[in-house]
Amino acid sequence: MTIVLTPYWSDGVRKLKVEPQPSPPPRGLLPAAYDNPVHAIRCLAQLRSKDKSIEKYIYLSQLKHVDENMFYRLCLANMPEFTPIIYTPTVGDACLQHSHIFRRPEGLYISIKDKGKIGQVLSNWPRREEARISVVTDGSRILGLGDLGVNGMPISIGKLSLYVAGAGIRPSSTIPICLDLGTNNQKFLDDPLYLGLRQKRVSDEVMTEFMEEFMLEMSRAFPKLLVQFEDFSTEHAFHYLDLFRHRYPVFNDDVQGTGAVVLSGFLNAAKLSSAASGQSLSSHRILFLGAGSAGVGVAMQLLSFFKLQGLSEEEAKDHIYLVDSQGLVFDSRGPMAEHKKYFSRSDYAGRPLTNLTDIIEYVKPTALLGLSTIKGAFTQEVIEAMATLNARPIIFPLSNPVRLSECEFHEAVEWTQGRVLFASGSPFPDAEWQSKVLHPGQGNNMYIFPGLGLASILCRASTVTDAMVEASSLGLADALNQDEHDSGLLYPRLDRIRDISAFIATRVIRKAQEEGVDSQTDLRTLSDPELLKLVVSKMWNP
């Protein structure tokens, strides 16, 4: 018999507890020749027999329900293959079809009808004592697909599956939550199979009252819980992050996580670009196509890049330009959304610039980042303009899913004659240029949030600070091994995700300790190798 001892901390003392092991099924309930390793091969063959991504998603959802250990064992062994199925891009289709492919509930559905009694609903969760992390969405801005209402639940489910696979957070400690506050998507309101309330979204005032009650009751029901907000509409994403971040342990992956993973890739890309051009790192100029919550969130995070080069925040801000649906964002253009004002240009007062090529000619950026969800927005003319200006242009089409990406990798390679430094939000296949195989970077938030979440849980962070998010980004940038550096990669290979998450988690814990927001102060006495060892020991393995 195998006995598993799990370390834990109690009153400042590290102790061990015996983990109960599941008993094998009684004789006769499995075939005589059943063998778990062989069954893993069988499950993988069944998955690969499906010819549509959505069918693979449905199969893996069923497998996770009936054999959770097998699901995560296969996931860990095949991360590059599984990630695009359980998260982007396939999860976008799963959301669109959620009400039609729904099998069984997984997570908590809390609707506006529960206002005033949210605590009672939360008390129905069967594993309250184990709860450590929740991903919460209101379905109002799912990826680039718009308002999907309660059909946004697969986003919360998929994200938490990646927390488990990527950082070893126990499946039983996760809570996917979808807040049903109505939907303005008439197609779903007219769909007889739609699982959500058949009403328009509530007003901002009512929603804020609901959110105040929800967060208070969450802190009461689950006192050790970290909350991640996911895919709220742009204005609400910023508003609720600002409203709650200093009162509860909460962060927003769209605003903070996307920015952190892009900062990491940009750090590595900027070094390669500057080496090719001979220009200093502080001279880079970044042009954003897309000025929503993700775009502005990434821009805010990239201020850190310039501040690391010795620039002040005001000086750093001058190196960042935003483009929205009306063109270049500048002060004298007229009224604009509040979240865009910080980066609005005061040094331009000419005619509106609406053509992206014209804007590139004016700004002369070294980097072009896309968070617009406009397929093909980075045309051949646009990318060739970037290639004319830069020896190694940095082009990051970050919109998800693939069908909304601003360009594809093979296009960027061809139109820059193989010189592009590329990272995307969704996966693209390798491309060949002059007999050399080039590998696309993927600025997948999965590199960041598992380690950031694990660190916040282990050190019992009272709040997730900007410095902790930045530490996760810098940790990721430093996580490349020599082979990955030699291959010119901007991000580590995804099949090392557990090692990467552990490395990032130690960096984030140290930063939380510096900031004084760690409640588990015992970890301060550990050396860095001891802390890394502890982090790895806390990871659940199927």
Side-chain angles (χ1 to χ4, degrees):
M1 180 181 70
T2 299
I3 298 176
V4 177
L5 299 176
T6 301
Y8 70 102
W9 290 85
S10 177
D11 298 325
V13 179
R14 191 178 182 190
K15 301 179 180 179
L16 296 172
K17 63 181 176 181
V18 177
E19 285 289 327
Q21 295 300 295
S23 302
R27 186 173 179 82
L29 296 187
L30 280 176
Y34 177 86
D35 178 78
N36 223 37
V38 173
H39 188 54
I41 297 171
R42 181 182 297 111
C43 291
L44 207 54
Q46 291 173 1
L47 172 69
R48 291 169 177 168
S49 72
K50 314 292 182 185
D51 59 359
K52 293 180 180 177
S53 295
I54 191 65
E55 291 182 355
K56 293 182 178 183
Y57 176 91
I58 292 170
Y59 172 78
L60 288 179
S61 297
Q62 172 71 8
L63 179 62
K64 184 169 69 167
H65 175 71
V66 299
D67 193 346
E68 190 173 67
N69 282 359
M70 179 63 71
F71 169 81
Y72 284 113
R73 196 175 302 132
L74 290 175
C75 188
L76 278 170
N78 302 276
M79 285 300 296
E81 179 180 357
F82 273 52
T83 301
I85 302 173
I86 61 179
Y87 202 61
T88 57
T90 307
V91 75
D93 291 332
C95 287
L96 289 170
Q97 302 181 52
H98 179 60
S99 291
H100 289 251
I101 64 174
F102 180 83
R103 267 36 174 201
R104 67 189 61 78
E106 184 177 352
L108 275 171
Y109 295 84
I110 304 172
S111 82
I112 190 63
K113 304 295 185 185
D114 298 315
K115 188 169 177 284
K117 49 183 182 294
I118 293 174
Q120 297 175 32
V121 177
L122 295 177
S123 69
N124 292 328
W125 186 247
R127 299 182 296 275
R128 289 176 60 185
E129 294 300 318
E130 298 178 68
R132 293 296 181 272
I133 187 164
S134 177
V135 174
V136 179
T137 186
D138 73 339
S140 57
R141 192 197 59 83
I142 298 296
L143 302 173
L145 304 172
D147 182 357
L148 303 190
V150 82
N151 286 338
M153 177 58 104
I155 283 288
S156 295
I157 295 170
K159 209 85 176 193
L160 287 168
S161 292
L162 296 184
Y163 271 109
V164 176
I169 293 173
R170 290 182 177 276
S172 59
S173 68
T174 66
I175 314 179
I177 296 180
C178 187
L179 306 177
D180 188 357
L181 305 176
T183 180
N184 294 332
N185 189 321
Q186 194 60 46
K187 177 183 176 182
F188 292 143
L189 292 174
D190 294 338
D191 182 355
L193 296 183
Y194 179 59
L195 289 163
L197 294 175
R198 297 180 187 282
Q199 67 174 61
K200 296 289 187 179
R201 286 195 172 272
V202 298
S203 67
D204 286 354
E205 181 181 0
V206 173
M207 182 176 179
T208 297
E209 291 174 358
F210 177 93
M211 290 299 296
E212 285 281 5
E213 179 188 350
F214 171 73
M215 289 302 295
L216 176 62
E217 294 298 342
M218 285 280 279
S219 69
R220 289 173 173 171
F222 313 113
K224 298 180 180 179
L225 193 74
L226 171 69
V227 175
Q228 178 194 313
F229 288 145
E230 183 75 17
D231 284 353
F232 282 68
S233 64
T234 298
E235 295 299 325
H236 290 156
F238 283 102
H239 175 63
Y240 292 122
L241 178 61
D242 291 340
L243 188 61
F244 297 124
R245 64 178 309 188
H246 298 298
R247 294 155 57 188
Y248 307 104
V250 61
F251 76 103
N252 185 301
D253 190 49
D254 305 300
V255 176
Q256 297 166 292
T258 302
V261 77
V262 175
L263 170 59
S264 175
F266 187 82
L267 276 164
N268 291 325
K271 292 173 185 176
L272 295 171
S273 179
S274 288
S277 68
Q279 300 297 312
S280 67
L281 289 172
S282 62
S283 68
H284 280 279
R285 290 177 302 281
I286 308 172
L287 179 63
F288 282 85
L289 179 63
S293 61
V296 174
V298 171
M300 292 296 293
Q301 198 68 55
L302 285 180
L303 288 173
S304 298
F305 169 80
F306 294 106
K307 290 193 282 186
L308 287 169
Q309 315 313 318
L311 275 62
S312 69
E313 185 162 325
E314 280 301 310
E315 290 170 333
K317 190 171 69 169
D318 286 342
H319 289 253
I320 294 175
Y321 298 75
L322 298 184
V323 177
D324 63 8
S325 59
Q326 300 176 56
L328 182 69
V329 176
F330 61 96
D331 290 353
S332 61
R333 192 182 74 175
M336 68 184 70
E338 191 66 31
H339 69 275
K340 300 178 186 180
K341 292 180 180 178
Y342 182 81
F343 288 106
S344 179
R345 306 298 302 189
S346 60
D347 55 357
Y348 180 82
R351 63 180 177 83
L353 290 176
T354 57
N355 180 275
L356 187 54
T357 307
D358 292 341
I359 296 171
I360 289 171
E361 184 177 339
Y362 167 70
V363 174
K364 294 181 171 49
T366 57
L368 177 62
L369 276 63
L371 294 112
S372 66
T373 67
I374 300 173
K375 175 67 175 177
F378 294 171
T379 62
Q380 182 172 353
E381 182 183 19
V382 164
I383 292 178
E384 287 179 346
M386 288 293 296
T388 300
L389 289 170
N390 302 284
R392 297 209 67 185
I394 300 169
I395 297 176
F396 285 12
L398 299 168
S399 292
N400 285 316
V402 170
R403 65 185 182 84
L404 298 178
S405 182
E406 287 79 8
C407 71
E408 299 193 7
F409 181 49
H410 72 90
E411 296 171 331
V413 169
E414 179 183 346
W415 296 336
T416 63
Q417 292 79 51
R419 294 182 284 124
V420 68
L421 293 164
F422 181 96
S424 57
S426 289
F428 284 104
D430 294 342
E432 189 172 316
W433 180 258
Q434 295 182 347
S435 302
K436 182 179 180 181
V437 176
L438 303 179
H439 308 285
Q442 186 187 351
N444 193 326
N445 291 24
M446 183 185 177
Y447 283 117
I448 291 290
F449 65 77
L452 177 60
L454 179 62
S456 301
I457 291 169
L458 292 180
C459 75
R460 294 287 308 279
S462 58
T463 183
V464 180
T465 67
D466 288 336
M468 290 166 63
V469 176
E470 182 178 305
S472 70
S473 180
L474 300 180
L476 175 59
D478 291 339
L480 272 74
N481 60 30
Q482 192 58 51
D483 177 62
E484 290 160 346
H485 276 296
D486 293 343
S487 299
L489 301 185
L490 304 184
Y491 293 101
R493 292 187 174 89
L494 199 57
D495 55 12
R496 294 201 303 115
I497 188 62
R498 284 282 179 105
D499 293 338
I500 297 163
S501 294
F503 183 75
I504 288 172
T506 58
R507 292 284 191 93
V508 174
I509 290 171
R510 288 300 190 221
K511 186 57 66 174
Q513 291 167 349
E514 288 178 26
E515 300 264 289
V517 297
D518 59 319
S519 302
Q520 194 70 49
T521 55
D522 310 272
L523 303 185
R524 297 182 182 184
T525 63
L526 301 179
S527 66
D528 287 348
E530 288 172 336
L531 180 58
L532 178 61
K533 186 176 181 180
L534 174 73
V535 169
V536 172
S537 74
K538 291 290 186 178
M539 289 180 163
W540 174 82
N541 286 295

